[in-house]
Amino acid sequence: MTVEVVKAEETQVAEVVVGAVEETKKVTNESEQVVEVGDKVKELDDESKPKIIEKSSSYKEESNFLSDLKEFERKALNDLKAKLEEAILGNNIYKKEEPKKTEGEAKEGEEKEKEEEIVAQECEEEKVDTDISIWGVPLLPSKGTEGTDVVLLKFLRAREFKVNDAFVMLKKTLQWRKEANIDSILEEEISPDLSSAAYMNGVDSKGHPVCYNIFGVFESEELYQKAFGNEEKRKQFLRWRCQLMEKGIQKLDLSPGGASSLIQVNDLKNSPGPVKKELRMATNQAIQLLQDNYPELVAKNIFINVPFWYYALNALISPFLTQRSKSKFVVARPAKVTETLLKYIPVEEIPVHYGGFKRENDFEFYGKEGGSVSELIIKAGSTNTIEIPALEVGITLVWDLAVLGWEVNYKEEFVPTDEGSYTIIVQKGKKMGSQEGPIRNTFRTNEPGKLVLTIENLSSRKKRVLYRHTANKSC
């Protein structure tokens, strides 16, 4: 792996949907430590009492507020803005740098250049485009658009605040977008067969949109050939990947205090692995394309369902990674998927197949009273209950519940307020294995009472329980 590839991590390397080899190389032993933090559940003052989950950030991005920038960062930003203003007003933003010519070639082209300069000067004012923008943000600094600084800081951070390097990178990106017609890419229908390979779904605890990349779909030889079968298909795949990135950017808030970057969740379950030649080719091309043109647009890369070969490749490359690159990568073994995602994404925003409460086209808890997610810690070998009051007749209770790692006995009962009434078994007691998914259930009341959820921890370790409930009144 070259230094140039390592550089990719500091910008956008993990934006690639496929290519487990290149992506998985970039995870470090430190990432493994991040995964294991979940084993150390924070002690509560009273573990038997549930608490409301507070959303908090597990990592910190650099601020985009001018007042928070260091002096050298503010100076670099102002210098870049000055260069950009001059280039736009001078109509030089799309001007390509000419390769160095020999003395003979230089003399030969002098007269032609003079003629072109005369023509250019006559219509220069008419041709100046002051509306140049990227990702919907105007770039002319004198317009005073607040998102301009946010965008320019991304290019500066990608080039370690080296103004000339950041300026060249920005110019090349704008030239590429123009030549590739990227501003209209959202209107195109590109590779519809790849829709299952990646999708946007929900936000993290700080409002960053989350993109899920499903590597395992390329285990299908038919889909693999459709995506990578020849050079033309690989080009289409790259354009599709850029389109997906542009869709994600549409969901960003490119203002100083906004969520201006994405969270990437990369699911490596059933990933084809490192032996696919076409996959490697497409990956290398995508890495180059995305690192050059989408800097600092990913806040975190979370790899889940990581196979064993991943760690072997990781060990080879970790010494070459910068601390900045390492801080953006997190790895989760199959048994730690939900626990790891919960560090960054609220359970109500995590898809149900990853252990969360989010279901497709589900509005049971949308805009209703209650429904906040609560947390309960159950000590090893102990039993706890969750009581949901139902004081009215004819209401329908709805609840979601998940136990991280399960391995518990679980049952649901409705206990009427009237002591003369019988307790109703809603869900018979049963042992829940470690692979169980979240529970969603409902119960309609015919008399006042309470729903009692009983969880018996059979393991030698404490268990973390997440749950929410709401009540729907009958019309």
Side-chain angles (χ1 to χ4, degrees), residues 57-114:
S57 176
S58 299
Y59 58 95
K60 185 178 180 181
E61 293 180 85
E62 296 94 338
S63 172
N64 288 315
F65 287 105
L66 291 178
S67 58
D68 293 332
L69 297 180
K70 297 177 181 177
E71 185 177 348
F72 82 91
E73 293 173 338
R74 283 197 296 271
K75 183 180 185 305
L77 177 60
N78 288 332
D79 289 348
L80 179 57
K81 289 166 73 172
K83 289 179 72 71
L84 184 58
E85 182 92 11
E86 181 182 0
I88 292 176
L89 296 181
N91 204 27
N92 294 321
I93 199 69
Y94 291 113
K95 186 177 179 181
K96 294 183 179 180
E97 294 186 6
E98 296 281 339
K100 290 185 178 180
K101 299 179 180 180
T102 64
E103 186 176 340
E105 290 173 331
K107 289 181 179 180
E108 197 174 298
E110 274 184 14
E111 290 187 9
K112 185 177 181 181
E113 287 178 2
K114 287 180 181 179

Side-chain angles (χ1 to χ4, degrees), residues 197-471:
Y199 55 88
M200 304 296 301
N201 192 343
V203 296
D204 78 343
S205 59
K206 297 299 289 183
H208 299 96
V210 182
C211 179
Y212 291 86
N213 302 312
I214 315 302
F215 290 63
V217 299
F218 296 109
E219 186 182 39
S220 164
E221 185 62 25
E222 181 181 358
L223 184 58
Y224 184 89
Q225 290 301 324
K226 285 182 178 180
F228 313 114
N230 54 46
E231 183 62 28
E232 185 59 35
K233 289 178 180 178
R234 287 192 290 274
K235 286 182 180 179
Q236 278 297 99
F237 166 78
L238 292 175
R239 191 160 184 81
W240 168 81
R241 192 60 189 82
C242 290
Q243 184 188 61
L244 181 66
M245 192 63 189
E246 294 289 328
K247 287 179 180 179
I249 292 172
Q250 291 284 305
K251 298 178 179 293
L252 297 180
D253 179 2
L254 295 172
S255 64
S260 62
S261 52
L262 303 168
I263 297 291
Q264 293 282 341
V265 177
N266 306 285
D267 188 352
L268 302 185
K269 185 177 182 180
N270 298 324
S271 174
V275 295
K276 296 285 190 176
K277 177 183 176 182
E278 298 83 4
L279 194 64
R280 293 198 304 271
M281 292 172 62
T283 296
N284 289 334
Q285 292 171 329
I287 286 174
Q288 191 65 50
L289 186 65
L290 295 168
Q291 73 153 339
D292 289 344
N293 300 292
Y294 295 97
E296 296 297 315
L297 284 167
V298 174
K300 212 74 176 176
N301 268 287
I302 305 172
F303 291 82
I304 60 176
N305 291 312
V306 173
F308 288 112
W309 53 259
Y310 186 100
Y311 295 100
L313 291 175
N314 161 51
L316 296 175
I317 198 62
S318 61
F320 299 97
L321 302 180
T322 64
Q323 186 60 38
R324 182 177 181 85
S325 299
K326 293 176 183 179
S327 68
K328 292 187 177 184
F329 287 79
V330 177
V331 179
R333 302 186 301 274
K336 297 288 186 178
V337 169
T338 306
E339 188 174 328
T340 301
L341 292 179
L342 283 169
K343 295 176 186 295
Y344 309 98
I345 308 172
V347 68
E348 61 269 33
E349 291 289 338
I350 298 175
V352 67
H353 54 275
Y354 290 131
F357 292 161
K358 189 164 191 178
R359 300 169 188 270
E360 191 173 352
N361 300 318
D362 177 28
F363 302 100
E364 285 288 359
F365 290 87
Y366 182 77
K368 296 180 181 178
E369 293 184 9
S372 297
V373 177
S374 297
E375 178 179 326
L376 177 67
I377 301 297
I378 304 178
K379 293 180 179 179
S382 64
T383 300
N384 286 69
T385 59
I386 297 169
E387 296 185 358
I388 303 174
L391 305 179
E392 299 180 37
V393 176
I395 64 172
T396 300
L397 300 174
V398 184
W399 62 96
D400 286 327
L401 182 141
V403 180
L404 299 191
W406 288 95
E407 296 295 346
V408 299
N409 282 336
Y410 175 74
K411 66 178 180 179
E412 303 169 345
E413 299 173 307
F414 181 77
V415 181
T417 302
D418 186 351
E419 295 181 357
S421 297
Y422 292 103
T423 294
I424 301 173
I425 298 175
V426 179
Q427 167 67 60
K428 290 183 179 180
K430 69 171 185 176
K431 183 176 180 179
M432 308 290 283
S434 61
Q435 301 302 314
E436 294 285 347
I439 289 174
R440 161 71 64 85
N441 209 348
T442 62
F443 180 78
R444 189 177 186 280
T445 64
N446 292 317
E447 57 182 317
K450 61 183 178 182
L451 183 72
V452 180
L453 312 179
T454 303
I455 307 160
E456 180 187 1
N457 185 0
L458 303 173
S459 73
S460 58
R461 298 173 58 189
K462 62 182 67 174
K463 292 291 182 179
R464 185 181 177 192
V465 182
L466 302 171
Y467 64 94
R468 64 179 178 176
H469 58 84
T470 189

Side-chain angles (χ1 to χ4, degrees), residues 95-158:
K95 186 177 179 181
K96 294 183 179 180
E97 294 186 6
E98 296 281 339
K100 290 185 178 180
K101 299 179 180 180
T102 64
E103 186 176 340
E105 290 173 331
K107 289 181 179 180
E108 197 174 298
E110 274 184 14
E111 290 187 9
K112 185 177 181 181
E113 287 178 2
K114 287 180 181 179
E115 291 177 4
E116 290 176 350
E117 284 178 10
I118 293 173
V119 174
Q121 287 174 0
E122 291 176 351
C123 57
E124 183 175 352
E125 291 186 4
E126 297 179 8
K127 287 186 176 181
V128 173
D129 181 7
T130 60
D131 294 324
I132 294 173
S133 65
I134 186 171
W135 309 320
V137 177
L139 286 179
L140 186 66
S142 58
K143 285 190 173 184
T145 305
E146 64 174 359
T148 303
D149 286 354
V150 176
V151 170
L152 296 184
L153 282 169
K154 289 184 180 298
F155 284 88
L156 283 168
R157 286 174 175 137

Side-chain angles (χ1 to χ4, degrees), residues 15-56:
E15 287 297 317
V16 188
V17 175
V18 299
V21 180
E22 297 298 330
E23 293 292 355
T24 56
K25 284 181 181 180
K26 299 174 180 64
V27 183
T28 68
N29 292 332
E30 180 185 37
S31 300
E32 182 68 16
Q33 294 172 1
V34 173
V35 175
E36 293 177 354
V37 170
D39 294 338
K40 304 174 183 177
V41 181
K42 184 178 179 182
E43 295 288 346
L44 303 177
D45 292 335
D46 185 351
E47 292 184 329
S48 64
K49 294 181 180 180
K51 67 174 183 178
I52 300 298
I53 295 179
E54 296 181 0
K55 297 178 181 179
S56 62

